[in-house]
Amino acid sequence: MKLKKYLTLTRAGIIEALQFRLSFVVMVIGNMLYLIVVYFLWKAIYASAGTDVVNGMTFTDTLIYLVLATALFNFMEMYTVWEIGRNIQSGKIVLDLLKPMEYRKYLFWSYSGSFVTQFFLTFLPTFIAVAVVTHGAIPMGINLLYFVISVVMAVSINYSIDFIVGTICLYTESIWGINIMKQVVVLLLSGATIPIAFFPDTLRTVVSYLPFQSIYNAPLSLLLNGSPDAETVIKALGTQLIWCIVMMTISKVFWKTSLRQITVNGG
């Protein structure tokens, strides 16, 4: 019965996402322009380095990593922070709190439809295109299963971080600046814009203890490693699982505590 309730929200999300076809086209064009910039930027970096391998990654490895990171970002982007901020500012949050479903779960499943559409419209075509163009540079084996498991936990961690940041709006009543700062921190420290292998040793060590690297770096590292050993897999997935539990707990407790501060303007 509960599953049917959640799947209904997913179906509604798919229908809603398919209503905005033009935004999808604009997003694809924007991503293509971004990837062209990335290609020439990293080509110049490798040319200036004077070697085919930098920090253990070839130019092809780096490009595949960044293309798939961009596709993964489009797949997992949920705009949760903006939604919470708008609901608080408009007073709609009061109606959402009256729904017979915990707000955190309701918001996640409302956006789950976008996961389905973005997976088939952006990530999967990008993955296939990269696999074909690179003539099998992406290993196809047990690493795909590790990648899927890792992505599921990455979605959970990413959502929890967004929900925590969105909850701050209950105190500030404005979320624009905070969300911009969050996006910069997550994109940089998760390895979405620069592979973590290129970070200085000290920063790489610090980042390994933070939850952000579990969002993009962990699944992509497992995907691009054709035959990861058991220790690597357990360490990557185990770290993600711990951050899943920690971030879910923090977001849930922070939300319940923050609801005491709620004020509705015009609601």
Side-chain angles (χ1 to χ4, degrees), residues 103-164:
Y103 182 64
R104 190 177 182 280
K105 292 181 181 177
Y106 166 74
L107 200 59
F108 177 84
W109 286 98
S110 296
Y111 274 94
S112 61
S114 68
F115 289 149
V116 179
T117 54
Q118 295 301 334
F119 176 79
F120 286 106
L121 295 179
T122 60
F123 181 78
L124 189 59
T126 303
F127 180 84
I128 294 173
V130 171
V132 171
V133 170
T134 59
H135 304 290
I138 302 177
M140 299 289 180
I142 190 65
N143 58 316
L144 292 179
L145 176 61
Y146 299 146
F147 174 71
V148 171
I149 297 172
S150 182
V151 165
V152 171
M153 290 193 282
V155 168
S156 174
I157 296 170
N158 191 43
Y159 176 69
S160 294
I161 292 174
D162 273 14
F163 196 83
I164 291 170

Side-chain angles (χ1 to χ4, degrees), residues 194-209:
I194 302 174
I196 290 179
F198 286 82
F199 287 9
D201 292 339
T202 305
L203 180 58
R204 197 187 312 158
T205 303
V206 172
V207 168
S208 67
Y209 291 105

Side-chain angles (χ1 to χ4, degrees), residues 10-172:
T10 302
R11 180 173 175 273
I14 295 173
I15 295 172
E16 184 179 358
L18 293 177
Q19 295 297 316
F20 303 102
R21 299 181 183 86
L22 182 59
S23 66
F24 166 72
V25 174
V26 172
M27 183 184 70
V28 171
I29 294 174
N31 285 337
M32 290 178 65
L33 293 175
Y34 170 74
L35 292 174
I36 290 172
V37 173
V38 166
Y39 174 81
F40 285 106
L41 173 64
W42 284 94
K43 195 174 180 63
I45 292 174
Y46 273 85
S48 63
T51 176
D52 294 332
V53 180
V54 178
N55 293 327
M57 297 181 72
T58 65
F59 173 69
T60 302
D61 292 337
T62 304
L63 202 58
I64 291 173
Y65 179 100
L66 292 173
V67 169
L68 293 179
T70 302
L72 208 55
F73 171 79
N74 293 327
F75 166 59
M76 292 199 291
E77 183 66 2
M78 299 181 71
Y79 307 105
T80 307
V81 178
W82 298 120
E83 181 72 17
I84 296 175
R86 280 196 301 268
N87 290 348
I88 291 173
Q89 290 172 337
S90 67
K92 181 177 176 292
I93 189 72
V94 174
L95 299 177
D96 291 332
L97 292 175
L98 293 175
K99 286 184 169 64
M101 184 185 293
E102 186 186 347
Y103 182 64
R104 190 177 182 280
K105 292 181 181 177
Y106 166 74
L107 200 59
F108 177 84
W109 286 98
S110 296
Y111 274 94
S112 61
S114 68
F115 289 149
V116 179
T117 54
Q118 295 301 334
F119 176 79
F120 286 106
L121 295 179
T122 60
F123 181 78
L124 189 59
T126 303
F127 180 84
I128 294 173
V130 171
V132 171
V133 170
T134 59
H135 304 290
I138 302 177
M140 299 289 180
I142 190 65
N143 58 316
L144 292 179
L145 176 61
Y146 299 146
F147 174 71
V148 171
I149 297 172
S150 182
V151 165
V152 171
M153 290 193 282
V155 168
S156 174
I157 296 170
N158 191 43
Y159 176 69
S160 294
I161 292 174
D162 273 14
F163 196 83
I164 291 170
V165 175
T167 304
I168 295 175
C169 190
L170 286 169
Y171 298 91
T172 62

Side-chain angles (χ1 to χ4, degrees), residues 196-241:
I196 290 179
F198 286 82
F199 287 9
D201 292 339
T202 305
L203 180 58
R204 197 187 312 158
T205 303
V206 172
V207 168
S208 67
Y209 291 105
L210 300 176
F212 308 113
Q213 65 86 27
S214 291
I215 301 175
Y216 296 107
N217 184 66
L220 288 174
S221 298
L222 290 172
L223 176 66
L224 299 179
N225 188 343
S227 54
D229 54 53
E231 183 181 351
T232 302
V233 175
I234 292 172
K235 184 178 179 182
L237 296 183
T239 302
Q240 280 190 293
L241 180 61

